[in-house]
Amino acid sequence: GLRRSRCTPGRELWMPYLRTAHPDEPATRDLLEGLAEEYARLYGEATAGELSTPEADDFTPPRGVLLLLVDGSETLAGGGVSPLADGVAEIKGMWTSPAHRGRGYARRVLVALERRAFYLGYRRLRLQTGAASAPALALYRSAGYLPAPPFGGDREESVALVFEKPLVSPPERISVRGAPHACSGLAA
């Protein structure tokens, strides 16, 4: 649910929180549109629509999950898990709003997706990311993902890099660090 923080009497601030989402709901559109814009900017229009093909059921339990990190009505980050094969799932649609990058939101979403995938019965995660996305590459490598052979044929090999990670236990939860709030004494 929503998390509230009081820094002065009578003034409430909403803190970012993770929630499950359905692929067809309005908050998910922010994620998909932002991701399409990012792909178009980095790789051209040909890859901008790649997330429009999966079935919605692939991102809903018991097959998968779609998670959004939200602050009030704003989608800050998100991503999904969908089935690939028996015991193997794919991380798809990882995105963080450009205005909110560098705060650990993508890592929080990734860890939450890994936890959900583990509890859905998956023991290996795979993902594809673009070679031009240095922050994504750094995130996945630092989270223990290792290079893997191509799968799915969604992108050209020269554009996509494939990674995988075994899930032997559920990852530890991590907290979100947000930008300082005006009443925290830390904001400029």
Short mmCIF file of all heavy atoms in Angstrom, two decimals, residues 38-61:
data_model
loop_
_atom_site.label_atom_id
_atom_site.label_comp_id
_atom_site.label_asym_id
_atom_site.label_seq_id
_atom_site.Cartn_x
_atom_site.Cartn_y
_atom_site.Cartn_z
N GLU A 38 12.57 5.32 -25.22
CA GLU A 38 13.99 5.03 -24.94
C GLU A 38 14.58 4.14 -26.04
O GLU A 38 15.67 4.40 -26.54
CB GLU A 38 14.11 4.35 -23.58
CG GLU A 38 15.51 4.10 -23.15
CD GLU A 38 16.10 5.28 -22.39
OE1 GLU A 38 15.40 6.26 -22.14
OE2 GLU A 38 17.28 5.19 -22.05
N TYR A 39 13.86 3.08 -26.41
CA TYR A 39 14.35 2.19 -27.47
C TYR A 39 14.47 2.93 -28.80
O TYR A 39 15.43 2.74 -29.54
CB TYR A 39 13.41 1.00 -27.64
CG TYR A 39 13.54 -0.06 -26.57
CD1 TYR A 39 12.70 -1.17 -26.58
CD2 TYR A 39 14.48 0.02 -25.56
CE1 TYR A 39 12.80 -2.15 -25.61
CE2 TYR A 39 14.59 -0.95 -24.59
CZ TYR A 39 13.74 -2.03 -24.62
OH TYR A 39 13.85 -3.01 -23.67
N ALA A 40 13.48 3.77 -29.11
CA ALA A 40 13.53 4.52 -30.37
C ALA A 40 14.73 5.46 -30.38
O ALA A 40 15.43 5.58 -31.40
CB ALA A 40 12.24 5.30 -30.57
N ARG A 41 15.01 6.10 -29.26
CA ARG A 41 16.14 7.02 -29.17
C ARG A 41 17.47 6.28 -29.31
O ARG A 41 18.38 6.72 -30.01
CB ARG A 41 16.10 7.76 -27.84
CG ARG A 41 17.20 8.81 -27.68
CD ARG A 41 17.10 9.55 -26.35
NE ARG A 41 17.26 8.69 -25.19
CZ ARG A 41 18.42 8.23 -24.74
NH1 ARG A 41 19.54 8.52 -25.37
NH2 ARG A 41 18.48 7.48 -23.66
N LEU A 42 17.59 5.13 -28.64
CA LEU A 42 18.85 4.39 -28.66
C LEU A 42 19.05 3.52 -29.89
O LEU A 42 20.18 3.36 -30.37
CB LEU A 42 18.96 3.50 -27.41
CG LEU A 42 19.12 4.21 -26.08
CD1 LEU A 42 19.03 3.21 -24.94
CD2 LEU A 42 20.45 4.95 -26.03
N TYR A 43 17.95 2.93 -30.40
CA TYR A 43 18.10 1.89 -31.43
C TYR A 43 17.31 2.12 -32.70
O TYR A 43 17.40 1.34 -33.63
CB TYR A 43 17.70 0.52 -30.84
CG TYR A 43 18.43 0.24 -29.55
CD1 TYR A 43 17.75 0.25 -28.34
CD2 TYR A 43 19.79 0.00 -29.53
CE1 TYR A 43 18.42 0.01 -27.15
CE2 TYR A 43 20.47 -0.23 -28.35
CZ TYR A 43 19.78 -0.22 -27.16
OH TYR A 43 20.45 -0.44 -25.99
N GLY A 44 16.47 3.12 -32.74
CA GLY A 44 15.66 3.38 -33.91
C GLY A 44 14.24 2.86 -33.75
O GLY A 44 13.94 2.08 -32.85
N GLU A 45 13.37 3.27 -34.61
CA GLU A 45 11.95 2.94 -34.51
C GLU A 45 11.65 1.45 -34.61
O GLU A 45 10.67 0.99 -34.09
CB GLU A 45 11.15 3.68 -35.60
CG GLU A 45 11.12 5.18 -35.40
CD GLU A 45 10.43 5.60 -34.11
OE1 GLU A 45 9.43 4.96 -33.70
OE2 GLU A 45 10.88 6.58 -33.50
N ALA A 46 12.52 0.67 -35.25
CA ALA A 46 12.25 -0.75 -35.47
C ALA A 46 12.04 -1.52 -34.16
O ALA A 46 11.31 -2.49 -34.14
CB ALA A 46 13.37 -1.40 -36.27
N THR A 47 12.67 -1.10 -33.09
CA THR A 47 12.55 -1.82 -31.83
C THR A 47 11.54 -1.20 -30.88
O THR A 47 11.29 -1.73 -29.81
CB THR A 47 13.91 -1.91 -31.11
OG1 THR A 47 14.37 -0.59 -30.88
CG2 THR A 47 14.91 -2.69 -31.92
N ALA A 48 10.96 -0.06 -31.24
CA ALA A 48 10.10 0.67 -30.31
C ALA A 48 8.86 -0.11 -29.91
O ALA A 48 8.32 0.10 -28.84
CB ALA A 48 9.70 2.01 -30.90
N GLY A 49 8.36 -1.03 -30.75
CA GLY A 49 7.13 -1.73 -30.43
C GLY A 49 7.31 -3.14 -29.90
O GLY A 49 6.36 -3.90 -29.84
N GLU A 50 8.50 -3.51 -29.50
CA GLU A 50 8.75 -4.91 -29.15
C GLU A 50 7.94 -5.40 -27.96
O GLU A 50 7.71 -6.58 -27.83
CB GLU A 50 10.23 -5.16 -28.94
CG GLU A 50 10.74 -4.83 -27.58
CD GLU A 50 12.14 -5.37 -27.38
OE1 GLU A 50 12.86 -5.57 -28.34
OE2 GLU A 50 12.49 -5.60 -26.22
N LEU A 51 7.50 -4.54 -27.07
CA LEU A 51 6.73 -4.99 -25.91
C LEU A 51 5.24 -5.06 -26.18
O LEU A 51 4.47 -5.41 -25.31
CB LEU A 51 6.98 -4.08 -24.71
CG LEU A 51 8.37 -4.18 -24.13
CD1 LEU A 51 8.50 -3.25 -22.95
CD2 LEU A 51 8.67 -5.59 -23.70
N SER A 52 4.82 -4.74 -27.39
CA SER A 52 3.39 -4.76 -27.68
C SER A 52 2.89 -6.16 -28.03
O SER A 52 1.70 -6.38 -28.11
CB SER A 52 3.07 -3.79 -28.82
OG SER A 52 3.76 -4.19 -29.99
N THR A 53 3.78 -7.13 -28.21
CA THR A 53 3.35 -8.45 -28.64
C THR A 53 3.04 -9.46 -27.53
O THR A 53 2.25 -10.36 -27.75
CB THR A 53 4.40 -9.07 -29.59
OG1 THR A 53 5.65 -9.08 -28.93
CG2 THR A 53 4.48 -8.28 -30.88
N PRO A 54 3.64 -9.38 -26.34
CA PRO A 54 3.36 -10.42 -25.35
C PRO A 54 1.89 -10.46 -24.93
O PRO A 54 1.20 -9.45 -24.93
CB PRO A 54 4.23 -10.04 -24.15
CG PRO A 54 5.25 -9.13 -24.69
CD PRO A 54 4.62 -8.44 -25.85
N GLU A 55 1.44 -11.63 -24.59
CA GLU A 55 0.09 -11.80 -24.09
C GLU A 55 0.02 -11.26 -22.67
O GLU A 55 0.94 -11.45 -21.88
CB GLU A 55 -0.28 -13.29 -24.09
CG GLU A 55 -0.33 -13.91 -25.46
CD GLU A 55 -1.47 -13.35 -26.30
OE1 GLU A 55 -2.54 -13.05 -25.74
OE2 GLU A 55 -1.26 -13.20 -27.51
N ALA A 56 -1.08 -10.62 -22.34
CA ALA A 56 -1.25 -10.06 -20.99
C ALA A 56 -1.15 -11.15 -19.93
O ALA A 56 -0.61 -10.92 -18.84
CB ALA A 56 -2.59 -9.34 -20.89
N ASP A 57 -1.62 -12.37 -20.23
CA ASP A 57 -1.56 -13.46 -19.25
C ASP A 57 -0.14 -13.83 -18.86
O ASP A 57 0.09 -14.37 -17.79
CB ASP A 57 -2.27 -14.70 -19.80
CG ASP A 57 -3.78 -14.55 -19.82
OD1 ASP A 57 -4.28 -13.58 -19.21
OD2 ASP A 57 -4.44 -15.38 -20.45
N ASP A 58 0.82 -13.53 -19.75
CA ASP A 58 2.22 -13.84 -19.45
C ASP A 58 2.76 -12.96 -18.32
O ASP A 58 3.79 -13.26 -17.74
CB ASP A 58 3.10 -13.66 -20.68
CG ASP A 58 2.97 -14.83 -21.65
OD1 ASP A 58 2.35 -15.85 -21.29
OD2 ASP A 58 3.49 -14.70 -22.77
N PHE A 59 2.09 -11.84 -18.04
CA PHE A 59 2.54 -10.92 -17.01
C PHE A 59 1.61 -10.90 -15.79
O PHE A 59 1.61 -9.96 -15.02
CB PHE A 59 2.68 -9.51 -17.57
CG PHE A 59 3.81 -9.41 -18.56
CD1 PHE A 59 3.56 -9.46 -19.92
CD2 PHE A 59 5.11 -9.28 -18.13
CE1 PHE A 59 4.60 -9.39 -20.83
CE2 PHE A 59 6.16 -9.21 -19.03
CZ PHE A 59 5.91 -9.26 -20.39
N THR A 60 0.81 -11.95 -15.65
CA THR A 60 -0.07 -12.06 -14.49
C THR A 60 0.13 -13.44 -13.86
O THR A 60 0.38 -14.42 -14.56
CB THR A 60 -1.56 -11.86 -14.87
OG1 THR A 60 -1.91 -12.81 -15.87
CG2 THR A 60 -1.81 -10.46 -15.40
N PRO A 61 0.04 -13.51 -12.52
CA PRO A 61 0.21 -14.80 -11.85
C PRO A 61 -0.84 -15.80 -12.34
O PRO A 61 -1.94 -15.39 -12.68
CB PRO A 61 -0.01 -14.46 -10.38
CG PRO A 61 0.32 -13.00 -10.27
CD PRO A 61 -0.13 -12.41 -11.59
#
